Amino acid sequence: MWSEKATFIRFAVVGIGNTIVDFGVFFLLISMGVSYMFAQLCSYSAGVMNSYVWNRKWTFRVLEKASVQQFFQFVIVNIISLSATVMLLKLLQLTAISLFVSKAIATIVGMAINFIGNRFWVFSSGQEKEGSKKS
């Protein structure tokens, strides 16, 4: 059980790093006069790439060589997570719940979807190998 908690903690740390990359790239591009929509596309993409590398190597400790299929699965999980958070945020805004609370709820749901998809579909083989190691 501790292994799963440690994996989730690493996943959360990577998420914080992704947010820093996202914001950093976004504001760097904005300061260079790039439109906010293009800056958002670039910064979100940089965060996703950062997420893939760190989650693969550190969070889920995948040992085999990276594949196009694995990266494609990772992108699918991120699209599902993003779609779910956008829809949930929109739905919650139809209620009396504040935007801040709505964003927090949507973020938690998105994080759960992302973790489950990455843990059990995208990087599942890395966990099997880690579980077989002796600590």
Side-chain angles (χ1 to χ4, degrees), residues 52-71:
Y52 178 75
V53 170
W54 282 101
N55 278 318
R56 184 174 199 293
K57 296 288 184 186
W58 186 55
T59 304
F60 298 107
R61 299 179 178 179
V62 177
L63 300 176
E64 74 260 359
K65 186 177 176 183
S67 69
V68 172
Q69 178 184 348
Q70 185 182 63
F71 184 74

Side-chain angles (χ1 to χ4, degrees), residues 18-73:
N18 298 336
T19 302
I20 292 168
V21 168
D22 181 9
F23 275 65
V25 170
F26 181 81
F27 286 109
L28 175 66
L29 292 174
I30 292 296
S31 72
M32 296 168 56
V34 173
S35 75
Y36 74 90
M37 291 299 288
F38 187 70
Q40 175 62 19
L41 175 66
C42 292
S43 67
Y44 184 81
S45 297
V48 167
M49 291 302 299
N50 184 71
S51 178
Y52 178 75
V53 170
W54 282 101
N55 278 318
R56 184 174 199 293
K57 296 288 184 186
W58 186 55
T59 304
F60 298 107
R61 299 179 178 179
V62 177
L63 300 176
E64 74 260 359
K65 186 177 176 183
S67 69
V68 172
Q69 178 184 348
Q70 185 182 63
F71 184 74
F72 185 67
Q73 289 173 311

Side-chain angles (χ1 to χ4, degrees), residues 39-127:
Q40 175 62 19
L41 175 66
C42 292
S43 67
Y44 184 81
S45 297
V48 167
M49 291 302 299
N50 184 71
S51 178
Y52 178 75
V53 170
W54 282 101
N55 278 318
R56 184 174 199 293
K57 296 288 184 186
W58 186 55
T59 304
F60 298 107
R61 299 179 178 179
V62 177
L63 300 176
E64 74 260 359
K65 186 177 176 183
S67 69
V68 172
Q69 178 184 348
Q70 185 182 63
F71 184 74
F72 185 67
Q73 289 173 311
F74 181 81
V75 170
I76 289 171
V77 168
N78 277 275
I79 289 169
I80 291 168
S81 176
L82 178 62
S83 299
T85 58
V86 168
M87 288 187 293
L88 184 56
L89 192 58
K90 184 141 182 91
L91 179 67
L92 291 171
Q93 283 303 284
L94 299 174
T95 69
I97 299 173
S98 74
L99 181 59
F100 179 82
V101 172
S102 297
K103 173 67 172 160
I105 292 168
T107 298
I108 290 167
V109 169
M111 187 176 184
I113 291 168
N114 214 307
F115 180 77
I116 291 167
N118 282 303
R119 166 65 179 90
F120 295 106
W121 187 43
V122 179
F123 301 119
S124 62
S125 64
Q127 284 294 302

